[in-house]
Amino acid sequence: MKLKTLAALTALIASPLTLADEILVVMSDTAQMTLKNGYDYKTGVYLNELMEPVKLFLDAGHTLTFASPKGMAPRLDPVSDTPDHFLDVSKANYEAHKALFNQLKIDDKTDSPVVSFARIEQIGIDKFDAVFVPGGHAPLGDLVANPQLGEFLRHFNAQKKPTGLVCHGPVALLSALPNAAQFEVAMKSGKNAKPADGWVYEGYRMTTFSNSEEAVATQYYLGGDELHYWPQDALTKAGGDYSRGEKDWHPHVVVDRELITGQNNKSSTGVALALLKQLDQ
């Protein structure tokens, strides 16, 4: 029923003259995280980081399948529900994207189109032409060491299929580590995390939410507590070639082969456009 609902919605928006690509949109099921000193932090997917790309993908005529580890309706991060996080901060732009979010019923506990990773395995990961992972802090909750996601990403890497991630989303790349679970435990405990040989993204140029941006987020959003570790540190320790923009909170997109990463919420549109460019090649 979920897939039929999504197909009907995308059919209304996609042009019948367009040869649609299949894009897998991966989100987290995490709605609350216990931080380093015990604070319970409400989180979820960032509205603009999801919907700016989703709208661009649909406007280009592509078909989307939304998935999360358990197939739960993801929560919208309450901090993100504002025009300020969008690249275009106008009220009209915010309302257009929020209306599409509601139309697609992304967070509807009854009718959400989001399916589980197990369902994606049944469908067949080879069906999809690209993958996109938005941020918010939630990916730190259940996408870092997920073995199914690791298999998906290794497929996209091996087939050189566009792989886009933005803000905190790039931490999902760590799931493709051969020792992802052990690496995550070491990062959380503050021990020297050592990646096993064979990470498919080793040496790739990439970006994610910077440490300096995370310091600001810690001050204003995390209730005085802090994350167990920061994405920039984790991806660097894993073997990624990290870069950041000259200014925080400005768009910064890095493209290396099939991998497309954006530094922060203002980078979501740039990641989506770069992904669409690769699909058109």
Side-chain angles (χ1 to χ4, degrees):
M1 184 64 184
K2 289 183 177 180
L3 290 176
K4 289 181 180 178
T5 301
L6 179 58
L9 287 169
T10 53
L12 290 173
I13 301 172
S15 166
L17 301 178
T18 301
L19 183 60
D21 286 303
E22 299 274 352
I23 301 176
L24 178 64
V25 179
V26 170
M27 291 175 284
S28 168
D29 289 318
T30 302
Q32 183 169 296
M33 298 170 59
T34 301
L35 301 180
K36 192 172 184 178
N37 298 310
Y39 177 70
D40 289 328
Y41 170 60
K42 292 183 179 179
T43 185
V45 66
Y46 252 51
L47 178 63
N48 82 291
E49 293 176 21
L50 173 67
M51 295 312 301
E52 284 176 310
V54 162
K55 190 173 189 304
L56 285 169
F57 298 156
L58 292 175
D59 287 348
H62 300 305
T63 301
L64 307 184
T65 298
F66 299 95
S68 69
K70 297 179 181 178
M72 299 169 61
R75 296 297 90 195
L76 187 64
D77 190 306
V79 170
S80 75
D81 195 8
T82 170
D84 295 340
H85 292 292
F86 286 81
L87 190 60
D88 173 358
V89 298
S90 69
K91 183 179 178 182
N93 181 66
Y94 161 79
E95 289 178 344
H97 286 87
K98 186 62 179 291
L100 181 59
F101 179 83
N102 292 333
Q103 178 189 354
L104 293 174
K105 299 183 178 181
I106 299 296
D107 64 344
D108 190 305
K109 292 183 179 180
T110 303
D111 294 323
S112 173
V114 178
V115 300
S116 68
F117 286 174
R119 179 62 180 137
I120 296 301
E121 289 180 334
Q122 291 173 345
I123 295 169
I125 193 62
D126 57 339
K127 170 186 175 181
F128 299 98
D129 303 295
V131 61
F132 172 71
V133 184
H137 287 99
L140 288 159
D142 59 0
L143 298 186
V144 173
N146 186 286
Q148 290 170 301
L149 181 57
E151 289 294 328
F152 298 162
L153 291 174
R154 283 189 284 271
H155 164 80
F156 286 105
N157 172 264
Q159 299 300 317
K160 304 185 187 310
K161 295 179 178 180
T163 301
L165 314 94
V166 67
C167 201
H168 291 78
V171 297
L173 297 172
L174 298 169
S175 68
L177 278 167
N179 65 332
Q182 294 89 340
F183 186 86
E184 182 185 38
V185 168
M187 288 298 302
K188 283 185 173 181
S189 65
K191 296 179 180 178
N192 185 22
K194 295 182 179 180
D197 292 338
W199 190 40
V200 295
Y201 300 108
E202 182 180 1
Y204 269 69
R205 291 181 291 109
M206 62 181 66
T207 190
T208 189
F209 204 56
S210 69
N211 283 354
S212 54
E213 289 167 324
E214 198 71 76
V216 175
T218 299
Q219 180 180 0
Y220 289 102
Y221 298 146
L222 304 187
D225 208 334
E226 58 184 300
L227 300 173
H228 293 277
Y229 61 90
W230 290 356
Q232 176 182 333
D233 294 334
L235 289 173
T236 300
K237 284 182 178 291
D241 182 5
Y242 180 81
S243 79
R244 48 161 295 157
E246 293 183 3
K247 295 181 179 180
D248 286 345
W249 316 108
H250 284 68
H252 179 62
V253 176
V254 176
V255 180
D256 188 352
R257 289 159 278 185
E258 86 286 351
L259 183 64
I260 306 158
T261 50
Q263 179 176 323
N264 49 40
N265 53 301
K266 297 293 185 178
S267 306
S268 304
T269 294
V271 169
L273 292 174
L275 190 150
L276 289 172
K277 182 178 179 180
Q278 287 201 8
L279 285 176
D280 287 341
Q281 292 175 351

